[in-house]
Amino acid sequence: MKDGTQTMTGEETARQRKPRSPNAPPNANGHHVSAIPAKNSDIVYQDLRRDIISMKLVPGTAIHEKEITQRYGISRTPVREAVLRLAEDRLIDVIPKSGTFVARIPLSMVREAIVARHALEAVTVREATLKASESQFMELGAIIQRQRERAEAGEEEAFHKADDDFHAAIAAAGRLAGIWDLIQQIRIQIERYRRLTLPQPGRMLKVVGEHEAILDAMKRREPDEAVNCMAYHLNKLQLDIAVFRDLWPNYFLFDPALDSELLAN
């Protein structure tokens, strides 16, 4: 430059730049970034949890901690912390001298979660039927239309997101949004099982029809009918368990003392 100030080339700048710690949090592309507040263990936990619940990692899949450390460019400690948290969630099994694996789906927990969800969603749909505004009914109708479009396009992930939006919007219309947050906490194992049902031919469009029946009862301000339609919708999960357990027996953890009645219904 004319004033005598020197400029550095890109190579010189890179040499003077402070090297990042090997434990710097990774971004979505696996590269290090310095401004992400989340802990490494939280990032690994959330990523693995999402992949397990979505069934991208199916039950029985081996989890290799060394491979994860290399993928994220972090040390073994945060990976171990994430794995232990997932073990507490019953999403991962750590078996001494054998390895670490994605846990099978415990049918007993599926049963309990279905019962709890039935009770909670009966409350939210009843209240929403009594309290929802016309604009909220329109919002629910728009979500159902989005679901139909995603079902017809075979887009399972987008369909699943719209499905969640529908149930969350019902809770919000009933001024009970916190109950949907509670449902989110208890339905982890249901979600893994439910992801198996979506590829079933015609299943997504059946769900759309069930949602339309729920909304129709709500718009007619018939809370008992809305509750019954919701119960029918949620009962499909329980009625199909025996079918999917037979299709993928290695995906489920079956306790004869607890689960025989569930499979018989």
Side-chain angles (χ1 to χ4, degrees):
M1 297 179 61
K2 291 181 180 181
D3 61 2
T5 303
Q6 294 183 347
T7 60
M8 292 186 293
T9 66
E11 183 179 351
E12 291 169 334
T13 301
R15 285 201 301 267
Q16 292 192 13
R17 191 176 294 144
K18 183 180 178 181
R20 291 193 174 111
S21 164
N23 281 332
N27 64 11
N29 295 321
H31 300 300
H32 292 160
V33 293
S34 57
I36 298 179
K39 293 168 54 180
N40 289 331
S41 60
D42 292 336
I43 295 170
V44 175
Y45 170 80
Q46 292 295 340
D47 286 353
L48 285 176
R49 185 179 185 274
R50 181 189 63 246
D51 289 347
I52 292 171
I53 291 176
S54 69
M55 297 296 282
K56 181 178 180 180
L57 294 176
V58 301
T61 301
I63 302 296
H64 301 290
E65 294 183 14
K66 183 177 180 181
E67 178 182 304
I68 296 172
T69 63
Q70 294 174 342
R71 184 192 318 157
Y72 286 90
I74 59 179
S75 69
R76 184 77 172 268
T77 298
V79 175
R80 169 55 49 167
E81 290 174 358
V83 166
L84 291 177
R85 286 174 64 187
L86 290 164
E88 291 176 358
D89 293 342
R90 296 193 65 176
L91 293 175
I92 277 181
D93 288 331
V94 180
I95 304 174
K97 299 182 180 180
S98 294
T100 302
F101 306 91
V102 175
R104 288 186 289 171
I105 302 169
L107 287 179
S108 59
M109 292 186 70
V110 171
R111 181 189 67 243
E112 292 167 359
I114 288 175
V115 170
R117 185 173 181 183
H118 263 265
L120 293 172
E121 296 229 37
V123 173
T124 60
V125 76
R126 180 178 294 278
E127 290 300 305
T129 301
L130 297 172
K131 298 175 181 176
S133 65
E134 289 303 314
S135 63
Q136 286 172 319
F137 285 145
M138 291 176 64
E139 177 188 357
L140 286 165
I143 293 172
I144 291 174
Q145 178 58 32
R146 175 154 46 94
Q147 269 196 294
R148 179 177 294 281
E149 292 169 357
R150 301 287 75 78
E152 291 173 347
E155 298 174 0
E156 291 180 18
E157 194 61 37
F159 177 90
H160 176 76
K161 174 64 168 58
D163 189 276
D164 280 355
D165 289 346
F166 178 78
H167 288 271
I170 288 176
R175 303 170 194 172
L176 295 169
I179 289 184
W180 177 248
D181 293 336
L182 180 59
I183 291 171
Q184 295 278 66
Q185 296 173 26
I186 65 174
R187 68 179 191 143
I188 293 176
Q189 301 297 348
I190 292 181
E191 281 306 289
R192 300 174 72 199
Y193 159 62
R194 190 161 75 95
R195 294 302 183 100
L196 293 175
T197 71
L198 291 183
Q200 188 180 18
R203 176 58 187 156
M204 287 192 286
L205 286 175
K206 286 181 181 178
V207 170
V208 172
E210 292 162 10
H211 283 182
E212 288 175 333
I214 293 168
L215 179 56
D216 182 61
M218 292 174 64
K219 291 168 73 173
R220 287 186 276 107
R221 303 291 184 181
E222 296 182 4
D224 289 342
E225 180 63 18
V227 170
N228 289 338
C229 289
M230 180 66 78
Y232 176 82
H233 170 55
L234 297 178
N235 276 341
K236 282 294 295 177
L237 288 174
Q238 181 165 327
L239 292 173
D240 290 339
I241 284 178
V243 174
F244 288 98
R245 189 239 178 184
D246 289 342
L247 284 173
W248 292 287
N250 294 330
Y251 286 5
F252 294 94
L253 184 62
F254 175 67
D255 183 341
L258 295 173
D259 302 325
S260 296
E261 182 180 350
L262 176 65
L263 294 178
N265 291 335

